[in-house]
Amino acid sequence: MSISDKTRKALDKIGLTGYEIKTFSALLKSEGLIASDLSQKSGVPYSKIYEVLGTLEEKGWIGSDDSRPTKYFAKSPATGLETTKQKMEDDFTQNKSVILNELVPLYEKSGISEKPDIWVLSGAINIAAKILDMVESCRTEVMVALPEAGQELIRQALPKLRSLHDRGVSITVLTSDKMDKEALKAITRMATVKVKKGLFGGGIISDKRYVVILLGPEMGGAQSSDLVAIWADHAGLAGFARQYFEYLLKDSRKI
């Protein structure tokens, strides 16, 4: 059985070359091969096979033994992915340091001030409309923290959440333990749902970039019709909100 085009494209996107994919695919179908046999089975030229095997081993996708000639074998794809992920994160951290050290002083010296798009919204209808507009273009992930006062928002958002779920978007909802049980039951069909006692305030983060911070009536004694929210197109703010969201998830209860 050969690797599908979909999986080949995914492997390509995480940094494996065409020759590396062919070599790993051939090793998946064997219990171990020497370089010459592997070249024949994979279609990778013999003049290139040792270079390809070296990079695959460095990336954590294959291993080798001490026999003569050396035999190569496939490692678990999970191991290869984890090694690749760690290397990408290490490379990103190193490159981030280099970039920030040189470019931040230049940016600050220029006198340019960042002007993120930030809006203050009031009223459940207006907030719901902005949220629906925000998630319309969502591609990968939506994280929702919803206080009890936001029940009307979630009812309005249910059709959109169903659409996102059908498109393969990952949805996580954290809500108050006082939320209506029927509303929670409807959400569990399309999202991972967790509840937290005493949750106040809330928000929505879309694709780690767009964020709505919801200020419930608990924060000002207002009625639910007077909900206030802050919407921002700002990766830094969204990143901070996401970290806080994950912190809240740690001691929440899954339903």
Side-chain angles (χ1 to χ4, degrees), residues 111-129:
I112 299 171
S113 59
E114 189 175 3
K115 297 181 178 63
D117 197 2
I118 297 177
W119 294 77
V120 176
L121 310 168
S122 62
I125 294 176
N126 292 331
I127 294 170

Side-chain angles (χ1 to χ4, degrees), residues 12-84:
D12 175 73
K13 286 181 179 179
I14 65 166
L16 267 62
T17 67
Y19 280 168
E20 288 171 348
I21 295 170
K22 286 181 178 181
T23 301
F24 185 71
S25 177
L27 285 173
L28 279 176
K29 303 167 191 172
S30 72
E31 294 182 359
L33 293 169
I34 62 175
S36 57
D37 290 343
L38 190 49
S39 174
Q40 281 190 327
K41 290 183 179 295
S42 66
V44 175
Y46 187 70
S47 61
K48 295 285 186 183
I49 194 67
Y50 284 103
E51 178 185 347
V52 173
L53 288 169
T55 56
L56 271 177
E57 198 158 13
E58 182 183 342
K59 292 177 179 180
W61 288 83
I62 68 169
S64 58
D65 62 20
D66 295 326
S67 62
R68 291 291 179 267
T70 302
K71 270 191 174 182
Y72 298 88
F73 55 88
K75 287 187 176 181
S76 160
T79 299
L81 282 169
E82 189 57 38
T83 305
T84 298

Side-chain angles (χ1 to χ4, degrees), residues 174-194:
L174 172 65
T175 189
S176 167
D177 58 344
K178 296 180 181 179
M179 179 67 77
D180 178 74
K181 297 298 184 290
E182 287 302 312
L184 287 180
K185 186 177 179 181
I187 305 169
T188 56
R189 298 190 184 102
M190 64 203 73
T192 298
V193 181
K194 292 191 172 185

Side-chain angles (χ1 to χ4, degrees), residues 36-229:
S36 57
D37 290 343
L38 190 49
S39 174
Q40 281 190 327
K41 290 183 179 295
S42 66
V44 175
Y46 187 70
S47 61
K48 295 285 186 183
I49 194 67
Y50 284 103
E51 178 185 347
V52 173
L53 288 169
T55 56
L56 271 177
E57 198 158 13
E58 182 183 342
K59 292 177 179 180
W61 288 83
I62 68 169
S64 58
D65 62 20
D66 295 326
S67 62
R68 291 291 179 267
T70 302
K71 270 191 174 182
Y72 298 88
F73 55 88
K75 287 187 176 181
S76 160
T79 299
L81 282 169
E82 189 57 38
T83 305
T84 298
K85 176 185 175 184
Q86 189 60 56
K87 186 177 186 307
M88 291 172 74
E89 289 177 350
D90 291 345
D91 288 346
F92 181 85
T93 299
Q94 184 176 352
N95 290 327
K96 174 184 175 181
S97 178
V98 172
I99 292 167
L100 292 179
N101 285 341
E102 180 169 341
L103 299 189
V104 167
L106 293 175
Y107 176 78
E108 292 175 346
K109 188 177 179 180
S110 71
I112 299 171
S113 59
E114 189 175 3
K115 297 181 178 63
D117 197 2
I118 297 177
W119 294 77
V120 176
L121 310 168
S122 62
I125 294 176
N126 292 331
I127 294 170
K130 190 62 179 177
I131 289 172
L132 294 178
D133 180 60
M134 179 180 77
V135 300
E136 181 69 37
S137 60
C138 181
R139 292 291 176 267
T140 60
E141 176 190 72
V142 172
M143 306 180 88
V144 183
L146 197 68
E148 183 184 3
Q151 288 192 100
E152 183 57 34
L153 293 179
I154 205 67
R155 288 192 186 96
Q156 294 187 45
L158 274 175
K160 182 55 62 180
L161 291 179
R162 289 192 189 96
S163 174
L164 292 176
H165 175 263
D166 291 345
R167 289 193 341 235
V169 173
S170 171
I171 305 170
T172 304
V173 177
L174 172 65
T175 189
S176 167
D177 58 344
K178 296 180 181 179
M179 179 67 77
D180 178 74
K181 297 298 184 290
E182 287 302 312
L184 287 180
K185 186 177 179 181
I187 305 169
T188 56
R189 298 190 184 102
M190 64 203 73
T192 298
V193 181
K194 292 191 172 185
V195 296
K196 183 175 175 63
K197 186 176 181 179
L199 182 70
F200 66 92
I204 293 183
I205 310 157
S206 173
D207 285 342
K208 304 178 186 179
R209 170 77 194 188
Y210 304 99
V211 60
V212 167
I213 299 174
L214 184 64
L215 309 177
E218 298 93 336
M219 303 188 73
Q223 298 300 313
S224 60
S225 59
D226 295 320
L227 286 172
V228 175

